Amino acid sequence: MPDLISVIVPVYNASEYVSQCIDSILIQSYQELEILLIDDGSTDNSLQICKAYCRRDPRVQLIQHVKNRGLVSARKTGLQASRGKYIGFVDADDYIEPEMFKRLIYAIEKYDVDFVHSGFIVEGENICHYEENLVDFQFESRGKYIAENILRNQTMTFSLWSKLFRADLIKDAYLSLNDEQSYGEDLLCLCNCMILCNRFYMMRDAFYHYRVYDGSMSHLNWLNICFQESRLYEYITRIFRKNDLLKTCENDAAYHYKSRILEAMMQDKASGAIILNYCFPGIEKLKNKRIAIYGSGRVGKNFYYQISSYGQCEITAWVDRDNHGIFNLIRIDKPEKLKEIPYELIILAVNKEEVADEIRNTLLHQDICKDTQKIVWEKPLHINNPLHV
């Protein structure tokens, strides 16, 4: 009996395209499929369309998120429900050629690899700028390959949907991702796959039709992209550090980061670019917390933009001993304001540790804050030169 392929399709408000997507999977020449539709809280007609396909074909299964939880969570739901030996992904607004999974499973078994990568098609043009290649990390440096071919030259696109994976590899690589890190999650997953796999194969044939439309991640404004790329860089370096690859990959990771920031700045025609120099490292630690920011200098202004853009915590006060007043219609209060407002953490937005220690001692001595554990300082990440942290 042929091996089962699980095809995971996250669906969110895609009623205009999802029928074409599902139809293209159902007519695959390779028929041993389970098609997992993950409706991620759609508010249009997507859910009803998905239910109709479930009634039509027993290979189609629907899993419903009552509320929108994001792409990473939807894909994780699909991975956890999947039963296939191999796993592929299709986005609900795209569609695939009838031979796609037949050709991919043939390659993955012929070359005995952990995943196979293929090209894709945009507006009728095949996108494929590499040669067919079998990469075996028994004979090739893993860190050097990631640095040169993923981060610097990008000989392989990061997308999950252009690949077919062995189930154990993609589950190990993807389920460890943060649910909130939808920006760049494909790159993070690919880095994990590169670290975990033994061999993979790159084929030049293109089967996946990728739809380009306004409103995608690539249309975020400059400020949001700056914050998102900074967070993504932090996650990437964390992966490399954990796997003893940071020394090999750090220069190319920084190159990738700076290239993305420059590209975003050049493409941002709608507004003037705000040049940010610093960000608070490990911003996910602030999730669901009420935050007070101490300091309104360059670091403080950068922290305020970053944390307010993060959206997963609440800034209840912005204070400064010397520079209180109004900045861009945002009120900056004296530190004594902290006696009146609720907060769980005070973030010291200063660059030097000795200055942070002075502020901490003053806050404690003046009974503005009585709990030293609530006063947090971490060395700001210099995002224009991320290697010197």
Side-chain angles (χ1 to χ4, degrees):
M1 182 176 179
D3 290 315
L4 180 68
I5 297 177
S6 298
V7 184
I8 297 172
V9 185
V11 180
Y12 179 67
N13 289 353
S15 58
E16 184 178 354
Y17 307 113
V18 70
S19 291
Q20 183 183 24
C21 172
I22 300 172
D23 285 338
S24 74
I25 303 172
L26 290 174
I27 64 170
Q28 288 291 295
S29 56
Y30 190 90
Q31 288 283 296
E32 197 63 29
L33 305 173
E34 67 167 1
I35 304 165
L36 301 172
L37 307 178
I38 316 300
D39 182 81
D40 193 31
S42 294
T43 56
D44 64 359
N45 199 38
S46 296
L47 180 60
Q48 287 68 34
I49 295 172
C50 291
K51 287 180 177 178
Y53 277 98
C54 286
R55 292 191 293 268
R56 187 203 306 182
D57 194 309
R59 295 176 301 165
V60 181
Q61 301 175 40
L62 173 64
I63 303 174
Q64 183 181 358
H65 288 175
V66 176
K67 296 182 179 179
N68 178 253
R69 287 153 48 179
L71 177 62
V72 176
S73 178
R75 284 178 166 169
K76 283 185 176 181
T77 296
L79 286 169
Q80 290 163 343
S82 64
R83 298 179 296 111
K85 181 178 179 180
Y86 303 106
I87 292 177
F89 298 87
V90 181
D91 287 350
D93 49 0
D94 300 329
Y95 62 98
I96 59 178
E97 290 290 311
E99 296 292 305
M100 178 169 175
F101 287 118
K102 180 179 180 179
R103 296 286 301 279
L104 293 183
I105 197 170
Y106 173 81
I108 205 171
E109 293 181 342
K110 176 182 177 180
Y111 296 105
D112 188 24
V113 292
D114 296 304
F115 72 93
V116 59
H117 168 76
S118 62
F120 60 100
I121 304 161
V122 177
E123 297 178 349
E125 179 184 356
N126 286 16
I127 307 299
C128 179
H129 304 299
Y130 52 85
E131 298 298 324
E132 295 215 0
N133 190 22
L134 174 63
V135 178
D136 190 332
F137 289 126
Q138 182 178 351
F139 306 106
E140 185 157 359
S141 168
R142 190 183 305 271
K144 184 179 179 182
Y145 186 91
I146 295 172
E148 294 181 356
N149 293 278
I150 304 303
L151 299 172
R152 183 169 290 270
N153 297 314
Q154 197 177 334
T155 56
M156 177 190 297
T157 53
F158 306 149
S159 54
L160 300 186
W161 38 253
S162 59
K163 302 169 178 65
L164 183 66
F165 302 89
R166 291 190 184 275
D168 55 351
L169 172 69
I170 189 61
K171 288 180 180 180
D172 287 344
Y174 199 89
L175 292 176
S176 63
L177 299 183
N178 189 314
D179 282 6
E180 273 68 49
Q181 190 59 31
S182 59
Y183 185 95
E185 46 89 27
D186 45 4
L187 172 57
L188 295 173
C189 180
L190 181 59
C191 288
N192 279 337
C193 286
M194 289 289 179
I195 291 168
L196 294 170
C197 79
N198 296 312
R199 298 151 52 92
F200 64 90
Y201 184 70
M202 300 175 66
M203 60 191 304
R204 288 186 57 82
D205 299 299
F207 311 100
Y208 190 99
H209 292 264
Y210 177 74
R211 196 184 306 272
V212 179
Y213 63 100
D214 289 340
S216 65
M217 278 289 190
S218 60
H219 293 84
L220 289 172
N221 64 38
W222 154 255
L223 178 60
N224 278 332
I225 287 182
C226 189
F227 288 138
Q228 298 279 24
E229 289 292 340
S230 181
R231 290 185 68 206
L232 180 58
Y233 173 83
E234 182 182 341
Y235 279 115
I236 290 172
T237 53
R238 188 180 301 174
I239 289 173
F240 294 149
R241 186 178 293 110
K242 178 181 177 182
N243 292 279
D244 297 323
L245 291 173
L246 185 58
K247 184 176 180 180
T248 305
C249 298
E250 61 181 349
N251 288 335
D252 294 282
Y255 175 87
H256 173 80
Y257 168 81
K258 292 175 183 178
S259 298
R260 289 284 295 155
I261 291 293
L262 180 60
E263 179 184 351
M265 182 175 64
M266 293 175 66
Q267 290 182 355
D268 183 16
K269 301 178 178 65
S271 62
I274 300 173
I275 305 301
L276 302 178
N277 300 106
Y278 301 97
C279 72
F280 182 80
I283 194 170
E284 70 276 5
K285 302 172 189 174
L286 308 183
K287 184 177 180 180
N288 299 326
K289 290 184 169 57
R290 293 173 294 185
I291 307 299
I293 300 175
Y294 190 115
S296 61
R298 179 179 294 181
V299 175
K301 291 182 175 68
N302 284 200
F303 276 19
Y304 187 92
Y305 279 122
Q306 176 197 11
I307 295 171
S308 61
S309 178
Y310 176 49
Q312 301 292 318
C313 61
E314 178 187 4
I315 299 176
T316 58
W318 190 7
V319 304
D320 193 289
R321 179 176 56 192
D322 301 316
N323 300 315
H324 48 272
I326 301 294
F327 170 74
N328 282 1
L329 302 180
I330 305 166
R331 183 176 182 82
I332 303 172
D333 292 299
K334 295 181 179 181
E336 287 75 11
K337 182 71 174 180
L338 297 173
K339 293 182 178 180
E340 307 171 12
I341 56 97
Y343 63 87
E344 287 154 296
L345 293 176
I346 302 172
I347 305 299
L348 303 185
V350 294
N351 200 25
K352 297 182 179 179
E353 187 172 8
E354 56 265 33
V355 176
D357 289 339
E358 177 186 344
I359 295 171
R360 181 184 289 105
N361 291 335
T362 300
L363 292 174
L364 294 170
H365 179 72
Q366 296 181 355
D367 287 334
I368 293 175
C369 176
K370 299 180 180 181
D371 185 355
T372 187
Q373 298 298 317
K374 291 186 175 183
I375 305 173
V376 176
W377 179 83
E378 292 189 34
K379 179 69 175 176
L381 179 66
H382 198 301
I383 62 177
N384 286 335
N385 188 9
L387 294 180
H388 298 92
V389 180

